[in-house]
Amino acid sequence: MADALLGPAEIRDLAARLGVAPTKKLGQNFVHDPNTVRRIVATAGLRPDDVVLEVGPGLGSLTLGLVGSAAHVHAVEIDPVLAAALPATVSAATLSVHHADALRVSAADFTPAPTMLVANLPYNVAVPVVLHLLAALDELRGGLVMVQKEVADRLVAPPGSKVYGVPSVKLAWYAHARPAGRVPSAVFWPVPNVESGLVAFARHTPPPGVDRRAVFAVVDAAFAQRRKTLRAALAGWAGSPAAAEAVLVRAGVNPQARGESLAVEQFAAIATAATGMPSGGKLSASGTWREEVDS
């Protein structure tokens, strides 16, 4: 790992020279504690041949730790000033800086292909970024992300937990996630009002034989009205409460259950059951089953 990590004085000096003030709009909170950087890199479990994708490198504190522990680092930064300044702070031939929105990147943007996501993610886009990158980058084998503690709890929550919801299920489609520790607010500049948490994840094979978009449509519908039973919550998705019940029974799911009690495999079973309904119904363009109504 690189030794010249950035401390509080270096972070503030660098920001002053660049005329940079952290903004809430971009969710910018810069890590200024070298020990936290070392901890993140160590916890990520990088292999020497890994290609790391870092989103939101900011002033480069984590980037400096990553370039010494991976074969290559792709840093995606949406702020043009920070993106332009990063190569001067992190002078490494193995670093590629991309001035881009992480929610819009694709596999074609990165050579070599990223194998690990390691990032201090902006609080306001953390979940969409993780899900987009897992969908877009097939060669990602896993990662370690630092997010708001509340978001971390949701990402790793198991079925039945009070905070289990859409982020929990959608991440579980792609990967097994686990909590990897807390990060105190004092290691950031500016100091956020909340604690952060580390989430580690390892990609696995998703449930077979069903399209991800069809499964995610079921998940979205189930949690849109999370206090309702699945028979009621999926009524709009299926076309009616009776149609929802028929799909649920076919999937082997209790129609009186609620979405927070189901694992991702059960949501996949519901989507699969919808595709197998008899000729009285059909899949819509979004991948959901609806009853046909005579015009």
Side-chain angles (χ1 to χ4, degrees):
M1 183 186 297
D3 292 324
L5 301 179
L6 301 177
E10 290 85 0
I11 286 285
R12 285 174 172 77
D13 179 65
L14 183 54
R17 284 191 282 112
L18 295 175
V20 169
T23 69
K24 271 191 174 182
K25 181 180 179 181
L26 296 179
Q28 292 172 326
N29 295 91
F30 303 130
V31 178
H32 62 54
D33 178 54
N35 286 332
T36 298
V37 170
R38 295 186 184 99
R39 174 188 168 199
I40 291 170
V41 175
T43 304
L46 298 174
R47 302 189 302 225
D49 61 344
D50 269 322
V51 176
V52 172
L53 175 60
E54 182 188 8
V55 173
L59 294 167
S61 52
L62 178 56
T63 319
L64 282 165
L66 292 171
V67 293
S69 300
H72 197 90
V73 175
H74 293 287
V76 176
E77 176 57 62
I78 196 171
D79 186 314
V81 174
L82 294 176
L86 190 59
T89 304
V90 186
S91 179
T94 56
L95 172 67
S96 299
V97 180
H98 306 262
H99 173 216
D101 182 346
L103 288 169
R104 298 181 180 275
V105 297
S106 67
D109 295 317
F110 304 111
T111 302
T115 59
M116 288 287 285
L117 171 64
V118 184
N120 168 26
L121 292 175
Y123 283 169
N124 52 350
V125 293
V127 173
V129 164
V130 170
L131 296 178
H132 169 70
L133 294 175
L134 282 167
L137 307 176
D138 290 341
E139 294 191 46
L140 275 183
R141 68 175 180 86
L144 180 77
V145 294
M146 182 159 56
V147 297
Q148 185 175 335
K149 181 63 169 59
E150 181 182 349
V151 174
D153 290 343
R154 290 176 182 170
L155 286 172
V156 303
S161 165
K162 290 182 179 179
V163 295
Y164 182 73
V166 172
S168 323
V169 183
K170 290 185 176 180
L171 181 55
W173 170 268
Y174 297 105
H176 170 72
R178 62 177 177 82
R182 294 190 176 196
V183 181
S185 56
V187 305
F188 296 96
W189 175 69
V191 178
N193 296 323
V194 295
E195 277 194 325
S196 295
L198 295 172
V199 173
F201 60 90
R203 190 190 284 271
H204 58 207
T205 303
V210 62
D211 182 71
R212 169 178 55 84
R213 291 167 297 180
V215 178
F216 283 11
V218 180
V219 174
D220 290 335
F223 285 99
Q225 305 176 78
R226 65 181 297 145
R227 293 187 179 182
K228 292 190 174 183
T229 65
L230 287 169
R231 184 183 190 276
L234 298 182
W237 165 82
S240 71
E245 180 167 353
V247 175
L248 290 163
V249 170
R250 186 182 180 95
V253 175
N254 183 351
Q256 299 305 309
R258 289 174 170 79
E260 58 262 35
S261 68
L262 270 59
V264 66
E265 292 81 6
Q266 291 169 291
F267 283 107
I270 295 169
T272 300
T275 66
M277 291 302 290
S279 58
K282 66 177 182 180
L283 280 172
S284 70
S286 64
T288 60
W289 184 83
R290 295 190 180 278
E291 292 179 325
E292 292 184 328
V293 179
D294 293 335
S295 56

